[in-house]
Amino acid sequence: MASQQTLILIKPDAAKRRLTGLVIDRLDAAGLTLAGAKMVSVSEKLAKEHYKEHEGKHFYADLVRYIRGEHHAIPDQRVLALVYEGEDAIALARKVAGATNPEKADPSTLRGSFGRVTTTGQIENLLHASDSPASAEREINLWFSPSEIIRPVAK
Ligand code: CDP
Ligand code: MG
């Protein structure tokens, strides 16, 4: 498996609960390497584009509000966006994150340990991690411009 890059977003529940460092620490401990990092003020347009595969689903409108910090009183819609790289980085980051639904996620994962399903059914699960090479490419290009990412140097 060749080296890959993947997009991670620290979601507002993780930011609100001061778990940003923990998420970064787990990804670091898994052997992933940072290739890009920035705070982003998430416009409605960016949130909708990022989650466009879910358009029309019952949780879509709340998901757009969630990633923009509206459920956690995060000022200015700020989200930490990260690009990680490494061998099999996409699957590895998903493994560190755990299953989408924290109630089904392995308890040793970030989502299993710290995620929750709210009383209204919203899944709060700390981080976004790209789910395939095609998604990773689309999402990295959506959140970062090329000059903001370290690309592996050919040796
Ligand atoms: O984030 P992941 O790729 O694991 O899951 P997804 O199926 O792509 O869904 C995106 C996000 O929507 C999830 O991470 C949840 O925050 C949210 N979601 C939800 O609130 N309720 C659901 N039934 C499914 C997803
Ligand atoms: Mg997804």
Side-chain angles (χ1 to χ4, degrees):
M1 175 59 74
S3 184
Q4 296 175 328
Q5 292 193 331
T6 188
L7 181 82
I8 301 294
L9 304 175
I10 310 286
K11 291 180 167 182
D13 53 324
K16 174 84 175 208
R17 292 158 76 193
R18 304 294 160 189
L19 295 170
T20 298
L22 183 84
V23 172
I24 290 172
D25 193 42
R26 292 277 183 96
L27 293 165
D28 199 11
L32 291 161
T33 301
L34 265 175
K38 66 171 174 180
M39 293 304 299
V40 179
S41 183
V42 185
S43 67
E44 189 174 358
K45 184 168 177 272
L46 175 59
K48 286 182 166 171
E49 183 63 24
H50 176 74
Y51 280 125
K52 72 175 182 191
E53 70 175 293
H54 299 302
E55 195 178 348
K57 294 183 186 168
H58 67 91
F59 58 85
Y60 180 68
D62 257 338
L63 180 55
V64 169
R65 284 192 276 271
Y66 166 36
I67 199 65
R68 299 188 74 220
E70 290 182 34
H71 295 165
H72 297 89
I74 303 289
D76 307 317
Q77 296 84 36
R78 65 187 79 186
V79 159
L80 179 57
L82 305 165
V83 175
Y84 276 90
E85 71 187 26
E87 286 287 307
D88 209 9
I90 297 166
L92 186 53
R94 298 277 299 182
K95 191 170 167 224
V96 172
T100 302
N101 185 334
E103 289 177 359
K104 294 184 183 150
D106 187 290
S108 71
T109 63
L110 285 163
R111 289 168 165 182
S113 295
F114 303 106
R116 69 171 190 146
V117 182
T118 69
T119 49
T120 57
Q122 170 89 48
I123 293 175
E124 295 182 354
N125 53 13
L126 282 85
L127 71 159
H128 169 81
S130 306
D131 67 3
S132 68
S135 298
E137 190 182 356
R138 184 186 82 86
E139 293 169 359
I140 289 170
N141 288 331
L142 185 61
W143 288 79
F144 287 85
S145 58
S147 65
E148 293 172 325
I149 304 164
I150 313 263
R151 294 286 181 189
V153 180
K155 294 211 176 75

